[in-house]
Amino acid sequence: MIKFGPSGCCAAFAQAGYQHTVDAAAWVEQHGLDCFEYSFGRGVRLKETTAAEIGNAFAARGIELSVHAPYFINLATQEDDKAQNNHEYIFSSLAALRAMSGKRCVFHPGSPLKAPRAEAMDVLARRFEEVLRLKEEYGYSDLLLCPETMGKKAQLGDLEEIIRMCRMGDETVVPCIDWGHLNSRDCGVFYKYDDYRRVLDRLIDALGYEKTSRMHVHFSKIQYTDKGELRHLTLEDDVYGPPYEPLMQAYRDYRMQPYIVCESAGTQTADARAMKAYYTRIADGANV
């Protein structure tokens, strides 16, 4: 089934007096949501016992957990020692995900740095092949890796580059489509239903319906410049977008079952709840 939830703990969570991610399980349930993403943005510094405690709290409420691997992963690196560091970032994230009883690990593909983009993507593909081989060897074959579309034009991770990565793996490599990122890197391309439909159709054509249906999703409105993403906003923004309503309609019409994580700036729980409420209304046939 389609799932909605926040990335991390929102401002209201702290204002209500909560401090620990273990408490976020009850918070997410209280707001009628179905999933939660834990970010290791600056590194994996979570003890296995703490990870298990967090995982048990969410599992007891039937809320699915995902993790976001450290932001500084760059699979396009030419340097073998840095490639080894990337492996550590990815597999320590997968170890924590396992301890949390979660299934999905999102990661950033990387940046070309000084290499031509096509050459950098070839390097990234070789590095990713090694990650997929080690994923099997280390016993993580059942966990999902989700390469994410990125918001800056200089970063690797446009739609076609993510498709290429997802075609390299089996059913456990699914795309993380960040609609705000895609909107930002092209300075505003999602306005109407058909704008989203074109991307969904391309994904189905390239990856098949099943893998596309199970996509991981990041959604927030994002301010951008001519270079791409600048900063995350809330759903109240009416300047930069993208709008979520036509996307929810597309997911409903296509009968897809994505895992939707809201990354709004500080209001991610309330905004995830608003998206779920809208989706539920149209799924029930209400006019909106």
Side-chain angles (χ1 to χ4, degrees):
M1 59 178 288
I2 190 169
K3 296 179 184 293
F4 294 85
S7 171
C9 299
C10 63
F13 177 82
Q15 291 164 4
Y18 296 109
Q19 297 181 343
H20 198 284
T21 305
V22 169
D23 299 321
W27 176 263
V28 171
E29 181 184 47
Q30 175 186 333
H31 287 81
L33 298 172
D34 321 289
C35 63
F36 181 87
E37 189 156 289
Y38 189 103
S39 178
F40 296 122
R42 303 299 178 186
V44 182
R45 302 185 181 92
L46 192 66
K47 294 180 180 179
E48 184 175 346
T49 53
T50 305
E53 183 182 6
I54 292 170
N56 289 337
F58 279 92
R61 292 166 171 81
I63 297 168
E64 189 174 344
L65 275 171
S66 60
V67 301
H68 196 306
Y71 299 148
F72 34 73
I73 288 172
N74 184 5
L75 291 178
T77 182
Q78 298 275 6
E79 302 171 55
D80 289 341
D81 59 335
K82 291 183 179 179
Q84 186 59 43
N85 290 339
N86 289 327
H87 291 167
E88 174 62 25
Y89 303 145
I90 290 172
F91 291 109
S92 60
S93 298
L94 290 177
L97 179 64
R98 172 79 81 207
M100 290 172 147
S101 300
K103 287 294 184 182
R104 295 168 175 248
C105 177
V106 179
F107 68 96
H108 295 170
S111 298
L113 301 177
K114 296 181 180 180
R117 193 176 190 95
E119 179 182 326
M121 268 306 296
D122 288 341
V123 172
L124 184 149
R126 292 197 299 273
R127 301 294 191 194
F128 192 45
E129 283 179 350
E130 179 68 1
V131 168
L132 294 176
R133 184 187 69 79
L134 292 173
K135 179 172 176 281
E136 296 288 325
E137 181 179 318
Y138 294 166
Y140 297 119
S141 59
D142 59 317
L143 300 184
L144 274 61
L145 283 175
C146 309
E148 180 180 359
T149 56
M150 299 305 295
K152 290 185 172 65
K153 295 179 181 180
Q155 295 171 312
L156 297 173
D158 66 18
L159 181 65
E160 293 302 321
E161 289 161 347
I162 295 304
I163 285 173
R164 178 178 175 182
M165 295 181 72
C166 290
R167 292 179 73 171
M168 293 173 60
D170 60 14
E171 71 279 359
T172 64
V173 181
V174 301
C176 174
I177 303 300
D178 189 313
W179 295 99
H181 281 170
L182 289 180
N183 191 63
S184 295
R185 71 183 298 132
D186 288 329
C187 297
V189 290
F190 298 113
Y191 300 97
K192 301 174 296 185
Y193 179 90
D194 284 349
D195 300 327
Y196 290 108
R197 182 183 57 79
R198 281 190 287 271
V199 173
L200 296 178
D201 287 347
R202 173 60 187 141
L203 287 165
I204 292 170
D205 180 64
L207 303 177
Y209 176 81
E210 181 62 27
K211 185 176 284 196
T212 301
S213 175
R214 295 187 300 119
M215 70 169 71
H216 199 89
V217 173
H218 284 171
F219 194 94
S220 64
K221 296 187 176 185
I222 296 178
Q223 182 181 356
Y224 53 80
T225 69
D226 58 355
K227 295 181 180 179
E229 175 189 11
L230 183 61
R231 66 186 179 97
H232 285 236
L233 305 169
T234 72
L235 292 190
E236 290 185 355
D237 167 73
D238 59 3
V239 176
Y240 291 95
Y244 69 88
E245 294 90 346
L247 177 61
M248 296 302 105
Q249 185 68 57
Y251 280 136
R252 169 59 181 163
D253 291 350
Y254 279 68
R255 300 295 192 268
M256 289 185 170
Q257 299 181 356
Y259 183 115
I260 300 178
V261 173
C262 182
E263 293 191 314
S264 291
T267 59
Q268 58 268 46
T269 301
D271 286 357
R273 188 176 184 179
M275 286 193 290
K276 181 176 181 179
Y278 185 89
Y279 179 88
T280 300
R281 289 199 300 274
I282 61 175
D284 290 343
N287 293 321
V288 294

